[in-house]
Amino acid sequence: MIPRLKGTDDILPPQSERWRRLLRAFDDLAERYGYDLALMPAIESTELFSRGVGETTEVVEKQMYTFEDRGGRSVTLRPEFTAGIVRSYIESGGQGIVKLAAAGPQFRYEQPQKGRRRQFFQVDLEYLGESAPGADVEVIEFSYRLLEMVGVSGIGLRLNSIGDSADRVAYRNLLQEYLRQRQSDLSEDARRRIDSNPLRVLDSKADTEVVRDAPVPLDHLGPEAAQHFSRARSALDGLGIPYEIDPRLVRGLDYYNRTVFEFYSSSFEAAQSSLGGGGRYDPLAELIGSRHPVPAVGVAMGCDRIVHAMPGVAEHRLDLYVAVADHDLTPQATEWVSRLRQRGFKIDWDASASRSVKAQFKAANRCGAAAVAIVGSEWSRGLVSLKVLETGEERQVSVEEVEEWMKQR
Ligand code: HAM
């Protein structure tokens, strides 16, 4: 027996039913909001991430699955979608507005625990080529609606602005100065970051004491970033999307500017509790080789965490299970099942048509059917026996009535 690798999962029934609902909801919503489908490579040049995500980030420093391929190139299993999607935008000409939706596994070498996996699944939106705050609001609203649609309760949204790169020069000096003064109270990780990536110290869980009094980017926004943030906020207010300002939210990836955000839920509490996050990342395209700036904003939602916060299945998975009482009626039952499926009903049956009716009822219960229709001696008169599993009620009805019943359920 060769077991699966640590931090990876086999997602099988019954859990996979939630996944199906989540992925379907994402797909529906992406289409409704005008995002086209993007299917991206799972493997990219290592340099794409070291330059795009940032040399000094936790992801690049410690978590990437990087190896040399047989041609001697350094390649990396994608730890996220954004850098690859921006690469594809530049590579295909990089013009105008492009809105893309992607879904797939990501890879980060983490210490595995609930909701923190080495292979995990993201659904992702990228809104490329638009600098207006309306784009930030759209991806935030989308994420909120997605969580709502799949039944996540107690949805929370943390929002912040970290300003533009130019505003950050002055702010960075100020923060470094403050952190140096408090150096002796800082964790070793934070001390190391003072020079390389001081902003990241703001969300260091080990340094909350020091961080509490640190200057925050929100108090040092340039006029344009400040106006952008205030417009985004009023649009969110107008849409009735509740949020809280978290001035210490900085995110773990280096490409962001202006708006950043994270979603959480009171029904999923873990050390790593954000169900999704994102923000504006105007600097990214030029970091990875674009000759002109590409304003953009996006979000990635973590499916492995969202499914923990989703309610179980209330509804029946199948509209009907067709049981065959008389083996000779197998051809007729085959055709009826096919007809019902083509009309859009969710139907299953015992394709071998050889088990006892009792065994077929067991199967119907196991796969969550709402009712069982028994094809038997009355079939020649157009009748079947319909048993509603929830109530136990059973009656002879015509095949047309079965359809009517399923429609009205
Ligand atoms: P991120 O915050 O690194 O952002 O990841 C987004 C979400 O992916 C997290 O909020 C979490 O739900 C999930 N996630 C991350 N790591 C793990 C893990 N090890 N196990 C399970 N779930 C995980 C990004 O990836 C950015 N690319 C988001 C973005 C898109 N920004 C702009 N566009």
Side-chain angles (χ1 to χ4, degrees):
M1 168 62 198
I2 303 162
R4 67 192 151 85
L5 294 174
K6 204 171 149 188
T8 67
D9 301 295
D10 301 322
I11 299 161
L12 299 168
Q15 282 77 17
S16 57
E17 194 280 334
R18 290 183 199 192
W19 282 81
R20 184 184 256 175
R21 271 189 286 150
L22 174 59
L23 296 178
R24 238 181 223 162
F26 173 73
D27 212 35
D28 280 357
L29 215 53
E31 211 172 352
R32 237 191 279 167
Y33 279 65
Y35 289 79
D36 291 314
L37 176 67
L39 300 170
M40 303 305 299
I43 187 166
E44 297 269 4
S45 293
T46 301
E47 203 186 350
L48 175 70
F49 302 112
S50 52
R51 267 166 51 191
V53 171
E55 208 63 82
T56 60
T57 57
E58 195 113 322
V59 171
V60 171
E61 267 183 357
K62 300 186 187 152
Q63 299 178 335
M64 293 208 301
Y65 279 88
T66 296
F67 58 95
E68 202 171 276
D69 73 5
R70 286 170 192 271
R73 302 166 205 90
S74 178
V75 297
T76 294
L77 295 184
R78 64 178 179 213
E80 59 121 40
F81 272 125
T82 314
I85 290 180
V86 174
R87 175 204 46 72
S88 78
Y89 178 87
I90 302 169
E91 216 169 323
S92 61
Q95 294 295 327
I97 289 177
V98 172
K99 293 169 64 174
L100 296 173
Q106 315 295 330
F107 305 86
R108 296 184 193 176
Y109 196 82
E110 304 222 43
Q111 215 32 60
Q113 51 179 269
K114 183 180 167 193
R116 194 205 272 176
R117 319 299 300 151
R118 289 182 174 167
Q119 175 174 332
F120 61 99
F121 201 100
Q122 284 183 342
V123 290
D124 182 282
L125 286 190
E126 307 297 349
Y127 195 144
L128 299 149
E130 179 57 76
S131 58
D136 312 31
V137 172
E138 183 172 289
V139 300
I140 294 172
E141 191 211 1
F142 177 99
S143 316
Y144 186 82
R145 302 286 175 229
L146 177 66
L147 294 174
E148 252 184 1
M149 218 166 134
V150 297
V152 171
S153 56
I155 306 170
L157 166 60
R158 280 190 278 267
L159 187 68
N160 192 21
S161 173
I162 57 169
D164 286 314
S165 319
D167 312 335
R168 270 216 296 279
V169 178
Y171 166 70
R172 197 182 140 108
N173 290 337
L174 204 71
L175 180 62
Q176 277 174 328
E177 202 175 302
Y178 169 83
L179 293 173
R180 279 200 197 98
Q181 276 164 15
R182 302 288 306 267
Q183 197 151 354
S184 53
D185 305 323
L186 285 172
S187 68
E188 193 172 323
D189 242 14
R191 240 174 301 170
R192 218 166 33 85
R193 292 226 145 86
I194 297 180
D195 289 317
S196 62
N197 199 346
L199 218 65
R200 288 286 294 144
V201 178
L202 290 185
D203 79 348
S204 160
K205 304 284 172 283
D207 298 279
T208 43
E209 273 286 291
V210 179
V211 165
R212 203 175 34 226
D213 301 323
V216 291
L218 201 54
D219 295 330
H220 300 271
L221 299 183
E224 285 176 3
Q227 191 187 53
H228 185 98
F229 195 47
S230 112
R231 289 202 176 140
R233 287 186 58 177
S234 19
L236 288 173
D237 293 338
L239 292 170
I241 294 180
Y243 59 85
E244 70 221 55
I245 300 293
D246 178 353
R248 274 168 273 280
L249 177 69
V250 290
R251 312 263 307 127
L253 316 164
D254 274 357
Y255 46 60
Y256 292 110
N257 68 327
R258 300 197 176 183
T259 320
V260 289
F261 58 89
E262 277 180 10
F263 283 92
Y264 62 94
S265 155
S266 55
S267 42
F268 177 71
E269 316 250 9
Q272 298 284 310
S273 60
S274 81
L275 298 184
R280 177 160 283 285
Y281 53 89
D282 303 334
L284 176 56
E286 284 168 302
L287 285 173
I288 59 175
S290 172
R291 275 194 287 273
H292 58 91
V294 180
V297 58
V299 61
M301 306 297 286
C303 300
D304 305 75
R305 295 182 190 173
I306 296 174
V307 292
H308 281 299
M310 280 169 68
V313 232
E315 73 206 59
H316 292 286
R317 190 168 76 79
L318 292 178
D319 296 316
L320 188 71
Y321 192 96
V322 173
V324 183
D326 176 352
H327 190 68
D328 292 341
L329 291 170
T330 307
Q332 288 87 333
T334 308
E335 282 158 36
W336 190 41
V337 166
S338 162
R339 211 159 52 233
L340 292 174
R341 285 172 170 166
Q342 288 177 62
R343 294 206 183 135
F345 296 110
K346 292 178 259 175
I347 313 288
D348 206 356
W349 74 309
D350 170 21
S352 79
S354 65
R355 293 183 179 80
S356 68
V357 171
K358 193 170 157 205
Q360 294 181 64
F361 263 91
K362 264 199 192 150
N365 273 308
R366 218 175 22 242
C367 60
V372 178
I374 307 165
V375 175
S377 55
E378 300 299 309
W379 178 262
S380 57
R381 300 194 336 188
L383 298 176
V384 294
S385 170
L386 179 71
K387 180 160 182 173
V388 181
L389 290 178
E390 215 162 90
T391 59
E393 167 207 1
E394 184 167 354
R395 61 204 153 100
Q396 290 254 307
V397 294
S398 68
V399 289
E400 292 79 20
E401 280 171 294
V402 174
E403 276 193 44
E404 222 24 68
W405 179 83
M406 288 193 287
K407 272 190 213 144
Q408 269 158 30
R409 227 167 52 75

